[in-house]
Amino acid sequence: MSSTLPYLQYSDADGLQPKLKEELKSLRKKEYLSYWPRFLIRRVSLYAIPFLVFFVFFFCLSLTKKVGAEIINTILGTLKLPFWLDLTLGGLLLIAFLLLIFQWRMFTKGYNSQTTNSVNNISRTEYKIYSHVIISIGYILLFFFIYGTNYKLYFGFLTFLVLTLLPLIIDRTLGITRQNERYKLYIRRLERLDELNALREKMNIKFEESHFIEYMKLADEADHSKNQDTISDTSYFMTLIENKLKA
């Protein structure tokens, strides 16, 4: 086999280290590109919760006999917005949504494989600050837009319930957060292996088969974890349905 497939030979660390660094470079890029969807999914759900609590509180009171929907509507009052203001709020909401998409695009284009991790973290911090502001303003505008409708109680309850649960369902189904965390985990493990190999070289430790097996075992664990997560994510709802049918 060695005569027919010489490129599979890793007779020393010089043959393994380039492969390891190439894998690290690929994983760092994937982790960077998968970070922003994970960030948006978590923040969209998180920022919707306070508004959801507001509408849930009054929605539950409207279902009671002692209070009822009429009293709740009186408490909330009426906020009639002129048509031009409705259009303005709708336009601002659209702009906020487009800004988030533009941010995502710029974040993706800003990746540089030669950039150090510290520089990447600074870039992420700046993007995160801007997105926090955009999401906060967007939700406030959405709240006033809904509050100006005739059925604000039900419309607000359903809207913010969807904004709270839908991103989490999408994340659970597609495994976006889990994918990003898996990349981070194996980046750290490959970095430690890289440092260990560099230390062995400085200490003049002879390269052995066990050193290569360490890398292969780590790569195999990464592939196995990815396969298991994919199966778990795609079969999530089917498992729930099967459990319901069995019950």
Side-chain angles (χ1 to χ4, degrees):
M1 181 179 292
S2 60
S3 59
T4 57
L5 297 174
Y7 58 89
L8 291 179
Q9 294 288 329
Y10 291 92
S11 57
D12 52 30
D14 293 335
L16 177 62
Q17 288 301 98
K19 177 65 176 177
L20 194 152
K21 292 184 181 297
E22 180 182 349
E23 190 72 19
L24 266 175
K25 180 180 176 181
S26 176
L27 283 175
R28 282 171 179 157
K29 181 177 182 179
K30 290 178 180 179
E31 187 278 327
Y32 186 92
L33 298 179
S34 65
Y35 176 81
W36 199 247
R38 171 197 177 187
F39 173 81
L40 284 182
I41 282 175
R42 291 187 170 189
R43 297 317 181 275
V44 167
S45 294
L46 180 64
Y47 278 76
I49 291 176
F51 300 97
L52 176 63
V53 171
F54 174 84
F55 284 106
V56 166
F57 174 74
F58 288 104
F59 179 76
C60 292
L61 286 179
S62 67
L63 299 178
T64 61
K65 294 182 180 180
K66 292 184 178 180
V67 181
E70 294 183 1
I71 297 178
I72 292 299
N73 289 330
T74 303
I75 294 174
L76 293 177
T78 56
L79 179 63
K80 294 295 183 180
L81 299 178
F83 181 71
W84 66 270
L85 188 55
D86 281 335
L87 288 179
T88 302
L89 288 175
L92 292 175
L93 285 171
L94 179 61
I95 291 174
F97 177 73
L98 293 177
L99 282 175
L100 288 176
I101 296 179
F102 177 75
Q103 246 192 336
W104 189 348
R105 176 65 175 170
M106 294 302 296
F107 184 84
T108 303
K109 289 181 63 176
Y111 177 80
N112 186 347
S113 60
Q114 297 180 351
T115 304
T116 60
N117 289 335
S118 59
V119 176
N120 278 340
N121 288 334
I122 294 174
S123 176
R124 291 185 188 189
T125 302
E126 293 175 353
Y127 277 107
K128 286 162 65 175
I129 292 174
Y130 296 143
S131 64
H132 281 304
V133 174
I134 294 173
I135 295 174
S136 299
I137 295 176
Y139 271 126
I140 293 173
L141 293 173
L142 180 60
F143 175 80
F144 283 110
F145 180 81
I146 294 175
Y147 203 89
T149 62
N150 294 328
Y151 303 99
K152 52 179 165 288
L153 188 61
Y154 306 104
F155 190 25
F157 171 73
L158 291 175
T159 300
F160 288 106
L161 181 64
V162 170
L163 288 173
T164 301
L165 298 181
L166 184 60
L168 299 178
I169 294 174
I170 293 174
D171 182 40
R172 184 62 182 84
T173 305
L174 300 180
I176 297 174
T177 296
R178 190 183 303 183
Q179 182 187 61
N180 182 261
E181 292 175 347
R182 184 174 62 245
Y183 288 146
K184 287 182 178 179
L185 172 63
Y186 285 102
I187 285 173
R188 290 194 296 269
R189 296 183 66 178
L190 282 177
E191 286 175 343
R192 295 190 188 103
L193 182 58
D194 185 31
E195 294 172 358
L196 180 60
N197 287 338
L199 180 61
R200 286 168 175 164
E201 184 177 358
K202 291 181 180 179
M203 298 176 66
N204 295 322
I205 297 177
K206 184 179 179 181
F207 183 82
E208 298 178 355
E209 181 183 5
S210 60
H211 300 155
F212 174 65
I213 293 176
E214 281 181 311
Y215 169 75
M216 294 301 296
K217 182 179 179 181
L218 184 58
D220 184 64
E221 288 179 4
D223 292 337
H224 179 71
S225 175
K226 178 181 178 181
N227 181 64
Q228 291 298 110
D229 290 347
T230 302
I231 294 174
S232 175
D233 294 332
T234 54
S235 64
Y236 176 64
F237 290 105
M238 292 301 298
T239 302
L240 291 179
I241 295 174
E242 289 177 2
N243 292 336
K244 290 293 183 181
L245 293 176
K246 290 179 181 179

